[in-house]
């Protein structure tokens, strides 16, 4: 049974034919994530079926995502803590004629916004997409205001939906993780009023004034630090990996809520000393509802915040691997249905990469069908193993087909080489299955 059938088994779109079309479409898109819809579908009939599916107003994108959320919750139940990361990305469709698009960061640009909740384990294993906000902005009015619902609501509603999910996971503690834009007092007040059913960890944006008229960040760093932490900062945007040493402060305090009350929070400041090469020192200021009394607890919060990078990796796969900004669809509602499918495809690619690194000795057959892992060996011109291989062995072979050199100095493969290699694997596996069917029918090729 393919992973798509397993992941979407419980899908209910009101008609079994729609479900069958959706699963077939996901299989096609995951086999060729960088291809256009016609290229991924392969023939005219499937292409027409795909466009009809995306244009079917009876299909709600929430119903498409529902079975994946259900399976994500099941994966989350195996973990003591799950990080639920929220962030927003622009989808730039500038130059396209799709109805309902709106301005982006620059008013002349046309597109829409995507704000998902991405669940990962504390070891950074991608567990699934739990929720999504998708919207297009209204144009600015002459007075500079923008009509429509306040966009800041997406952060608060995202927390509320996690709070609704929390009772399904009595043995798992959810942690809402977000960057500076989520440093909103209304969000913290809402969490407080609900009794903090989901913990929260936010990067601090506002140097708030406290009751004693001093400022938040200077209050926290006024005394001696709790100690120092060390970690390796991965290479990003051309910068090389480097070791980071930060001094850490943490203090529990009361943040005024603006209505005569307060929110109990802990502020953590992690500050790198000035660097000799003139590079900007790394400093993070975090807010959480969790108690932080020791350096070990502070280091854990910082590590959890650093895991927020996983949603950036997810966006990278979604936009550059799946190329969703190249979609040629006629309206925002059609784009939304396509984006939901591609989000699940992007999650699986990211999951393969992380599991190959963090759980290298897993049986490859947990993630790949026999035809798929055998294709990895055949295309690399290697002899098939007598026993089923490990996940890491297969992932590295797939990545080699996408350009990964697999030298000792190369470390583990990234998502780009995996998604490129997967296209060849899935095409080859489909050919194996087709030849097998012909053999059963007694037809010669």
């Amino acid at each position: 049974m393919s992973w798509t059938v397993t992941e979407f088994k419980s899908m209910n779109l009101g008609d079994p034919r729609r479900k069958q079309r959706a699963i077939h479409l996901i299989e096609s898109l995951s086999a060729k994530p960088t291809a256009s819809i016609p290229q991924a579908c392969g023939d005219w009939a499937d292409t027409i079926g795909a466009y009809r599916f995306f244009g079917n107003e009876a299909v709600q994108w929430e119903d498409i995502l529902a079975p994946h959320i259900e399976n994500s919750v099941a994966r989350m139940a195996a973990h003591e803590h799950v990080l639920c990361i929220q962030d927003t990305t622009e989808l730039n469709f500038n130059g396209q004629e799709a109805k309902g698009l709106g301005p982006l960061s620059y008013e002349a640009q046309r597109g829409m916004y995507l704000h998902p909740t991405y669940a990962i384990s504390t070891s950074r294993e991608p567990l699934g997409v739990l929720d999504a906000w998708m919207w297009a902005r209204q144009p600015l009015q002459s007075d500079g205001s923008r009509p429509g619902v306040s966009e800041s609501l997406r952060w608060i509603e995202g927390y509320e939906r996690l709070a609704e999910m929390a009772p399904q996971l009595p043995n798992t503690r959810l942690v809402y993780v977000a960057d500076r834009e989520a440093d909103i007092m209304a969000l913290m007040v809402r969490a407080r009023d609900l009794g903090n059913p989901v913990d929260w960890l936010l990067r601090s944006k506002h140097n708030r004034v406290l009751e004693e008229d001093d400022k938040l960040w200077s209050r926290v760093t006024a005394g001696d630090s709790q100690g120092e932490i060390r970690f390796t900062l991965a290479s990003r945007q051309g910068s090389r990996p480097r070791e980071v040493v930060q001094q850490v402060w943490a203090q529990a305090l009361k943040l005024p809520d603006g209505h005569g009350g307060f929110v109990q929070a802990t502020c953590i400041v992690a500050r790198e000393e000035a660097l000799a090469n003139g590079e900007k020192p790394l400093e993070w200021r975090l807010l959480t509802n969790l108690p932080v009394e020791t350096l070990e607890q502070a280091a854990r919060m910082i590590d959890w915040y650093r895991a927020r990078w996983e949603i950036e990796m997810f966006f990278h796969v979604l936009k550059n691997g799946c190329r969703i900004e190249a979609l040629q669809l006629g309206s925002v509602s059609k784009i939304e249905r396509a984006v939901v499918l591609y989000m699940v495809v992007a999650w699986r690619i990211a999951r393969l990469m992380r599991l190959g690194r963090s759980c290298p000795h897993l049986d490859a057959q947990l993630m790949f069908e026999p035809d798929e892992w055998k294709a990895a060996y055949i295309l690399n011109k290697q002899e098939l193993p007598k026993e089923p291989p490990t996940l890491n062995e297969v992932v590295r072979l797939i990545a080699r087909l996408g350009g990964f050199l697999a030298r000792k100095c190369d470390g583990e493969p990234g998502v780009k080489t995996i998604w490129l290699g997967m296209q060849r694997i899935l095409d080859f596996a489909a050919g194996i299955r087709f030849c097998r069917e012909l053999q059963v029918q007694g037809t010669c090729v």
Side-chain angles (χ1 to χ4, degrees), residues 355-373:
L355 285 179
R357 295 181 180 185
S358 60
C359 304
H361 301 297
L362 277 179
D363 187 338
Q365 294 187 122
L366 294 174
M367 298 295 294
F368 296 100
E369 296 179 52
D371 287 341
E372 293 171 349
W373 68 256

Side-chain angles (χ1 to χ4, degrees), residues 102 109 145 277 414:
Q109 289 180 316
S145 64
N277 61 5

Side-chain angles (χ1 to χ4, degrees), residues 58 97 255 279:
E97 301 298 326
L255 301 179
E279 190 175 349

Side-chain angles (χ1 to χ4, degrees), residues 143-205:
D143 61 359
S145 64
R146 193 182 301 279
V149 177
S150 173
E151 294 180 4
S152 64
L153 284 177
R154 70 190 187 274
W155 301 100
I156 301 170
E157 284 199 6
Y159 182 90
E160 290 174 338
R161 292 178 186 178
L162 287 174
E164 293 170 358
M165 185 178 292
Q168 302 177 49
L169 296 159
N171 299 317
T172 301
R173 190 67 184 178
L174 305 184
V175 184
Y176 176 104
V177 182
D179 213 353
R180 293 183 182 93
E181 199 175 350
D183 182 7
I184 304 169
M185 180 51 64
L187 168 61
M188 291 180 268
V189 167
R190 183 59 177 152
R192 177 201 65 189
D193 293 346
L194 291 173
N196 289 320
V198 174
D199 295 322
W200 44 271
L201 176 63
L202 314 173
R203 188 164 183 180
S204 177
K205 178 181 180 180

Side-chain angles (χ1 to χ4, degrees), residues 6-20:
T6 301
E7 192 71 15
F8 292 94
K9 185 177 181 180
S10 64
M11 179 184 288
N12 182 7
L13 300 181
D15 187 324
R17 292 171 297 181
R18 293 176 191 158
K19 175 181 176 178
Q20 185 178 3

Side-chain angles (χ1 to χ4, degrees), residues 89-132:
T89 190
E90 289 184 345
L91 302 182
N92 190 335
F93 296 106
N94 211 32
Q96 297 193 27
E97 301 298 326
K99 296 179 181 178
L101 296 176
L104 298 175
S105 299
Y106 297 98
E107 201 69 16
Q109 289 180 316
R110 309 300 293 173
M112 57 185 289
Y113 287 85
L114 170 65
H115 181 92
T117 302
Y118 190 54
I120 67 170
S121 70
T122 54
S123 61
R124 304 195 181 190
E125 172 192 344
L127 302 174
V129 180
L130 303 180
D131 188 21

